[in-house]
Amino acid sequence: MIKRNLRCLTSLLSAALLASCSCSRGAYLFTSFREPATAGLRLLYSYDGYKWQDLGCTFLKPMVGPAKLLRDPSIAQGPDGTYHLVWTCGWKGDKGFGYASSKDLIHWSKQQFVDVMSQEPTTVNVWAPEIFYDQGTRQFLIVWASTIPFRFPKGQEDEDNNHRLYYTTTTDFQTFTPAKLYLDPGFSAIDSEVLRRGPHDYVLVVKDNTRPERDIKVAFGPTALGPFPAVSKPFTANFTEGPS
């Protein structure tokens, strides 16, 4: 127990160094989780983006949502240095995602359950929320995948597994814009990631979750909200995990 506590203390100190600006060597930060998904947030770091080191303990235990899970954690840093974390709260039955913030990745705010799909009572799930800070509009964009049965052509998927991407925006994490459709690419889409390459040049990476595809595709648009008129052919093999 003492050794374990010492390892966790070392990990916490490492996280504090990664979160601070005093570290002269830049590092990449990776948010992750392990099963059981009730355990909490895990952090990994890398100096080159290829070799990753797990910090060795959990940093935030999920306390919100019906199932109190923490899956698919996504993090973004705001202009004031605050880290904002969102995550999947459950497999099915919930209509929102989890949220918490931190200045140092160790001490976290009170967790919130952000209800975004109650206006669609037949919503099956809210999966893999991805958070992105848009410098141009000075707001946070959160994109996730939800299934609303019989809303879209299902192809080979079951009605309760036919996802499309939805989004909300916020500036303060107290008020959120009503959820809107973000992307209907004509197939079941999950696990999106938005990136900014330059002015009026945004990249959307998305997983095609239809069988037998289960691969990664990309689209380009002039703003973080798109439009993304043309989704590419897959650039990965089938049965590839979603981007992060």
Side-chain angles (χ1 to χ4, degrees):
M1 180 64 71
I2 293 176
K3 288 183 178 179
R4 181 178 180 182
N5 288 340
L6 286 174
R7 285 198 299 269
C8 197
L9 177 60
T10 301
S11 297
L12 292 172
L13 292 173
S14 299
L17 287 174
L18 288 172
S20 73
C21 297
S22 60
C23 182
S24 60
R25 187 181 184 187
Y28 297 96
L29 181 69
F30 188 101
T31 55
S32 186
F33 72 100
R34 293 181 185 176
E35 299 294 356
T38 54
L41 173 68
R42 302 187 73 91
L43 298 175
L44 300 87
Y45 70 93
S46 172
Y47 292 118
D48 59 10
Y50 292 96
K51 298 177 182 178
W52 293 86
Q53 178 65 48
D54 191 333
L55 287 174
C57 64
T58 56
F59 290 83
L60 181 68
K61 183 175 177 61
M63 300 300 293
V64 296
K68 292 183 173 58
L69 302 181
L70 190 153
R71 302 178 61 88
D72 316 312
S74 174
I75 198 168
Q77 191 173 26
D80 65 349
T82 301
Y83 294 92
H84 300 274
L85 182 77
V86 294
W87 65 89
T88 302
C89 287
W91 279 105
K92 292 184 178 181
D94 56 329
K95 293 180 173 59
F97 54 80
Y99 165 76
S101 64
S102 175
K103 288 287 189 180
D104 58 10
L105 302 176
I106 299 172
H107 305 94
W108 291 87
S109 67
K110 182 179 179 180
Q111 297 176 34
Q112 297 175 224
F113 180 78
V114 183
D115 189 333
V116 287
M117 293 298 283
S118 284
Q119 78 282 3
E120 295 284 359
T122 62
T123 299
V124 174
N125 56 355
V126 173
W127 277 4
E130 296 289 344
I131 186 169
F132 171 76
Y133 179 70
D134 188 2
Q135 296 177 351
T137 60
R138 297 182 180 180
Q139 64 183 3
F140 290 88
L141 167 68
I142 304 166
V143 181
W144 67 90
S146 283
T147 291
I148 303 176
F150 306 102
R151 180 65 54 87
F152 301 98
K154 68 182 183 67
Q156 298 186 55
E157 297 306 306
D158 296 331
E159 286 293 350
D160 64 354
N161 194 42
N162 186 27
H163 297 82
R164 295 301 186 273
L165 299 180
Y166 295 83
Y167 79 95
T168 184
T169 62
T170 184
T171 58
D172 58 9
F173 294 92
Q174 299 299 316
T175 58
F176 296 81
T177 59
K180 294 182 180 180
L181 182 67
Y182 186 73
L183 182 72
D184 172 19
F187 54 79
S188 181
I190 64 172
D191 297 343
S192 64
E193 190 75 33
V194 182
L195 304 169
R196 181 181 184 271
R197 292 196 301 183
H200 311 296
D201 186 8
Y202 289 78
V203 181
L204 174 66
V205 186
V206 62
K207 180 177 180 178
D208 181 343
N209 202 46
T210 54
R211 290 166 286 187
E213 297 289 331
R214 307 291 169 92
D215 47 34
I216 310 300
K217 299 177 178 179
V218 66
F220 303 92
T223 75
L225 293 177
F228 299 99
V231 178
S232 75
K233 294 181 179 180
F235 61 88
T236 68
N238 290 1
F239 302 102
T240 300
E241 189 52 87
S244 62

